[in-house]
Amino acid sequence: MAFIDWALHPTELWAAFWYAMRNAPPDEKTNRLNVSGDMKRCYDFLEMTSRSFAAVIQELNPRLRDAVCLFYLILRGLDTIEDDMTIPGAKKRHVLETFHEVIYQDGWTFKESGPDEKDALLLVEFDVVIREFLRLAEEFQTVIADITRGMGAGMAKYTRARVESLEDYHEYCHYVAGLVGHGLSRLFAVSGLEDKSVGERLELANSMGLFLQKTNITRDINEDVLDGRCFWPRAIWGNYAESEEQLIAKTNREKGVEALNAMCFNALQHIPDVLEYLSQIKEPSLFKFCAIPQTMAVATIVLCYDNTRVLDSNVKIRKGEALKLISQSTSIESVKVVFYRYMEQLERKNHPSNPMYEPVRKIIDRTKKDIASTLKGGAPVDLTKEYLVLLLFVVTAAAFFYSYYSERQA
């Protein structure tokens, strides 16, 4: 199956080769960063807990790299507490609500995670993270602690509250992801690597987080329902099913897909803000750090749209596709081309018989129009490199075999 994927998408094979040549094993990466002791252990934890963010964080400008690494680990610790269904509710809420205080308590650790919690070791050795956090500049500490306080309070609220209305859904996603966008933008500005306006236009930063979170929530419906929870708002799924279990049931497949498409539409509405936010990021390593998750999110939400497999399993974009997106997330022009291409894919999937056809079509038309008006060459030509490379491969192979058999016959 993997061979067929590479054969059908040859430019992804090149992207994989490019990625392998540029990326060293984890131990070599941390040695290259010239870190040791507690900070080296923090980068070890970064590698353990994040497949997608570890590489781009380690490529950040040195003025911000350690702060973002520690910011990620602190929020990962907070998220690990929230996700652990074995921690009693009252205990969980207390830890979540006070987490912004314990990051100032040298020596604090947490050893009460459930046996199946994959990131439990981070909390067991959290004193390492705290020691490095306390070494950061005060302006970095202030931003990180403030975001941790807001996120912890929001997570604590939703250990008891359910996501019922669209307002609840927006608020929950703000707490767990939009605030991350706030914090990163403020860190960018405080570091001096970006203009201070980046840390002030927080509505755009919020949309960056919401697009990622809503994409993940939309994709994870099967896994979440089977785990006994659901982050899809009842205001959407309640129109198509009487319960979360019925939502993913094979006997309710047509209505389940309609609910899925409504969720995709809700996420797609953040795309204009995402592109506007990325347009203001100038420092190359920060741009790449911000752009890679967003290009993967647009690829994922387009994959999910009208896709019955989402109701049965956790769908993911191809690994080669992800590596190709990494290679294309280097400038605002190339990112806009990526978004334009996926809007074309979405357009082909958005059939007139689909109840969400018209609202989704409006998002597609607006996005394509906005992108075409800002690109130097206008709208990207609707011609994929995949087939050009494949055609070149076929022609070359045909020429080789023709030459080979001609020589044998001679």
Side-chain angles (χ1 to χ4, degrees):
M1 189 66 181
F3 174 79
I4 295 175
D5 281 342
W6 292 124
L8 292 176
H9 306 91
T11 57
E12 293 178 9
L13 182 59
W14 168 249
F17 174 77
W18 171 88
Y19 185 83
M21 291 298 99
R22 292 189 70 253
N23 286 271
D27 287 344
E28 289 186 29
K29 286 181 183 178
T30 52
N31 289 337
R32 197 181 294 170
L33 294 176
N34 195 28
V35 293
S36 59
D38 288 343
M39 199 63 220
K40 185 178 187 303
R41 185 59 174 160
C42 287
Y43 279 107
D44 289 341
F45 277 123
L46 180 65
E47 291 281 354
M48 293 179 206
T49 58
S50 173
R51 291 178 300 173
S52 54
F53 287 108
V56 285
I57 287 177
Q58 291 178 43
E59 291 182 10
L60 284 174
N61 188 296
R63 286 164 59 181
L64 202 52
R65 185 193 300 132
D66 289 353
V68 173
C69 174
L70 294 166
F71 185 37
Y72 174 86
L73 292 177
I74 287 169
L75 298 188
R76 171 57 67 185
L78 190 68
D79 191 57
T80 301
I81 297 290
E82 186 209 19
D83 281 347
D84 193 337
M85 304 302 287
T86 69
I87 302 174
K91 173 72 174 180
K92 179 183 289 190
R93 284 188 289 275
H94 174 72
V95 176
L96 292 173
E97 290 170 343
T98 60
F99 209 76
H100 65 289
E101 298 173 354
V102 302
I103 61 176
Y104 285 99
Q105 296 176 17
D106 194 6
W108 185 90
T109 61
F110 186 85
K111 301 178 181 178
E112 301 173 46
S113 298
D116 298 325
E117 183 49 59
K118 61 184 178 63
D119 293 329
L121 184 60
L122 170 64
L123 291 170
V124 170
E125 297 186 37
F126 207 73
D127 53 330
V128 173
V129 178
I130 291 175
R131 280 196 294 273
E132 288 301 324
F133 168 75
L134 294 175
R135 293 190 179 103
L136 287 177
E138 185 176 350
E139 55 267 31
F140 289 155
Q141 291 184 26
T142 299
V143 172
I144 293 172
D146 185 47
I147 298 302
T148 304
R149 178 192 56 77
M151 186 177 291
M155 287 178 169
K157 174 180 177 178
Y158 280 95
T159 60
R160 286 180 286 195
R162 290 176 63 87
V163 180
E164 299 282 348
S165 67
L166 291 178
E167 290 74 19
D168 293 338
Y169 184 46
H170 191 85
E171 181 184 63
Y172 174 77
C173 291
H174 165 72
Y175 281 135
V176 300
L179 283 174
V180 179
H182 284 203
L184 288 170
S185 298
R186 289 168 59 187
L187 289 175
F188 296 169
V190 165
S191 72
L193 294 172
E194 295 292 344
D195 189 82
K196 66 178 183 179
S197 62
V198 172
E200 296 169 350
R201 301 185 67 189
L202 296 180
E203 73 286 353
L204 296 181
N206 192 58
S207 279
M208 291 280 285
L210 263 60
F211 185 49
L212 299 182
Q213 186 67 21
K214 288 182 176 182
T215 296
N216 288 335
I217 286 175
T218 299
R219 180 196 62 189
D220 293 344
I221 182 62
N222 178 271
E223 180 181 322
D224 284 341
V225 170
L226 293 179
D227 283 345
R229 57 188 179 183
C230 179
F231 296 105
W232 285 22
R234 182 184 290 270
I236 289 180
W237 69 257
N239 296 319
Y240 306 95
E242 295 181 0
S243 67
E244 292 99 328
E245 291 75 19
Q246 187 186 19
L247 182 63
I248 64 172
K250 292 185 183 298
T251 54
N252 190 46
R253 193 45 40 102
E254 183 177 345
K255 289 296 183 181
V257 172
E258 289 182 10
L260 169 66
N261 291 341
M263 288 293 295
C264 289
F265 167 70
N266 188 281
L268 288 163
Q269 294 177 83
H270 295 288
I271 285 178
D273 278 357
V274 167
L275 292 175
E276 186 174 352
Y277 180 93
L278 291 174
S279 296
Q280 66 181 346
I281 302 298
K282 306 305 179 186
E283 205 280 334
S285 69
L286 296 186
F287 180 86
K288 189 175 180 180
F289 172 77
C290 294
I292 289 174
Q294 301 297 331
T295 56
M296 292 192 180
V298 73
T300 300
I301 203 67
V302 170
L303 175 64
C304 289
Y305 187 74
D306 212 37
N307 186 348
T308 59
R309 290 192 299 118
V310 175
L311 303 176
D312 296 321
S313 61
N314 189 293
V315 303
K316 295 181 179 180
I317 62 175
R318 298 180 305 277
K319 184 173 182 179
E321 184 177 8
L323 295 177
K324 184 177 177 181
L325 290 170
I326 291 173
S327 71
Q328 294 175 326
S329 300
T330 54
S331 70
I332 187 58
E333 290 77 17
S334 59
V335 165
K336 285 182 176 180
V337 170
V338 167
F339 271 76
Y340 193 97
R341 298 292 192 215
Y342 280 105
M343 289 302 100
E344 289 183 324
Q345 286 189 27
L346 183 60
E347 196 169 30
R348 290 191 287 270
K349 297 179 71 174
N350 190 36
H351 303 297
S353 59
N354 189 325
M356 295 304 299
Y357 171 77
E358 192 59 31
V360 170
R361 184 190 65 80
K362 289 180 179 179
I363 290 178
I364 294 169
D365 290 347
R366 175 186 171 182
T367 304
K368 289 175 66 177
K369 182 180 179 181
D370 289 348
I371 291 173
S373 67
T374 58
L375 288 178
K376 293 178 181 178
V381 178
D382 189 14
L383 189 63
T384 175
K385 291 181 180 178
E386 301 284 0
Y387 296 107
L388 289 176
V389 174
L390 186 57
L391 178 62
L392 180 60
F393 173 82
V394 170
V395 170
T396 303
F400 171 82
F401 284 114
Y402 176 80
S403 175
Y404 175 79
Y405 284 111
S406 294
E407 288 179 4
R408 290 198 63 177
Q409 289 176 355

